Amino acid sequence: MAIWFLCKIRYQKQSENGKQTAVNESYLVDSVSFTDAETRIYQELSSIIKDFTLTGVRPMRLTDVFHYEDAETWYKCKVNYVSVDEKSGKEKKIQNTMLVSAWSVKQAYERIEESLKSMLVPFDISDINITNIMEIFPYVAEEKVPANFRPLAEVQAERDMETVE
């Protein structure tokens, strides 16, 4: 399960009229800790923004993130459903927060509905709000194999050949 951190940065941007203005932006990073989130945001943004300051890192509780390539605006959606406790038989209201990229509130609603249509319990989308998140950086596993490593099948084949001889 992904652990998302909301990272806020501040930097000076030159406007079209040549005036320097302070800009605040938010980015979402999938990381294992605060330190990892800070490291990753510097790695991701240092090539894009020359001189910025990280002003805040906080965890953001999200159940899921639905990314669509055709939209740049992120909407925070609250989805509610009722669950029944097996032991006590009592109903319990569950609230999940999800992010979806869309062009409008209507499209965000439709995309959440589409993404959750396989849910077995009925759900209610109670809240959709636009966020100021510029971009998300999901975790991507780097599978770098050291140069001195070889596939196990190759090593076993060599050992089998040695035992035959």
Side-chain angles (χ1 to χ4, degrees), residues 7-11 24-25 42 52-57:
C7 299
K8 295 185 178 191
I9 67 163
R10 182 180 189 98
Y11 65 96
N24 295 309
E25 293 180 349
Y42 275 107
F52 67 92
T53 304
L54 184 64
T55 59
V57 178

Side-chain angles (χ1 to χ4, degrees), residues 66 68 70-75 100-109 111:
F66 301 107
Y68 292 85
D70 66 339
E72 296 177 359
T73 306
W74 288 95
Y75 291 88
V100 63
S101 59
W103 286 106
S104 65
V105 173
K106 181 181 177 188
Q107 188 180 43
Y109 182 87
R111 287 182 171 180

Side-chain angles (χ1 to χ4, degrees), residues 10 21 23 37 47-49 55 72 84 94 103 106 122 135 141 158 162:
R10 182 180 189 98
T21 58
V23 177
S47 61
I48 303 167
I49 303 169
T55 59
E72 296 177 359
V84 178
I94 309 285
W103 286 106
K106 181 181 177 188
E135 194 171 342
E158 281 182 14
E162 291 174 359

Side-chain angles (χ1 to χ4, degrees), residues 12-127:
Q12 295 291 323
K13 183 176 185 179
Q14 188 168 357
S15 61
E16 295 165 1
N17 62 3
K19 192 176 182 182
Q20 293 280 351
T21 58
V23 177
N24 295 309
E25 293 180 349
S26 298
Y27 294 88
L28 197 63
V29 180
D30 180 12
S31 300
V32 294
S33 67
F34 285 90
T35 307
D36 186 39
E38 184 177 351
T39 303
R40 291 212 40 232
I41 199 69
Y42 275 107
Q43 288 173 346
E44 297 287 350
L45 295 179
S46 62
S47 61
I48 303 167
I49 303 169
K50 299 294 180 219
D51 187 27
F52 67 92
T53 304
L54 184 64
T55 59
V57 178
R58 68 173 179 86
M60 188 171 187
R61 295 184 68 175
L62 295 172
T63 305
D64 216 336
V65 175
F66 301 107
H67 183 2
Y68 292 85
E69 293 292 328
D70 66 339
E72 296 177 359
T73 306
W74 288 95
Y75 291 88
K76 185 167 128 177
C77 306
K78 291 185 181 175
V79 178
N80 302 310
Y81 64 92
V82 176
S83 176
V84 178
D85 186 12
E86 291 179 15
K87 293 180 181 176
S88 66
K90 293 182 180 179
E91 290 186 351
K92 181 173 144 182
K93 185 178 176 183
I94 309 285
Q95 184 179 55
N96 290 326
T97 305
M98 302 173 187
L99 275 183
V100 63
S101 59
W103 286 106
S104 65
V105 173
K106 181 181 177 188
Q107 188 180 43
Y109 182 87
E110 291 168 353
R111 287 182 171 180
I112 286 290
E113 265 194 333
E114 164 109 14
S115 299
L116 300 178
K117 70 181 177 185
S118 63
M119 268 183 84
L120 299 175
V121 295
F123 61 90
D124 178 39
I125 302 170
S126 64
D127 197 17

Side-chain angles (χ1 to χ4, degrees), residues 147-162:
N148 62 338
F149 281 29
R150 295 186 309 172
L152 184 59
E154 188 179 303
V155 174
Q156 287 176 337
E158 281 182 14
R159 287 187 181 165
D160 291 344
M161 293 298 285
E162 291 174 359

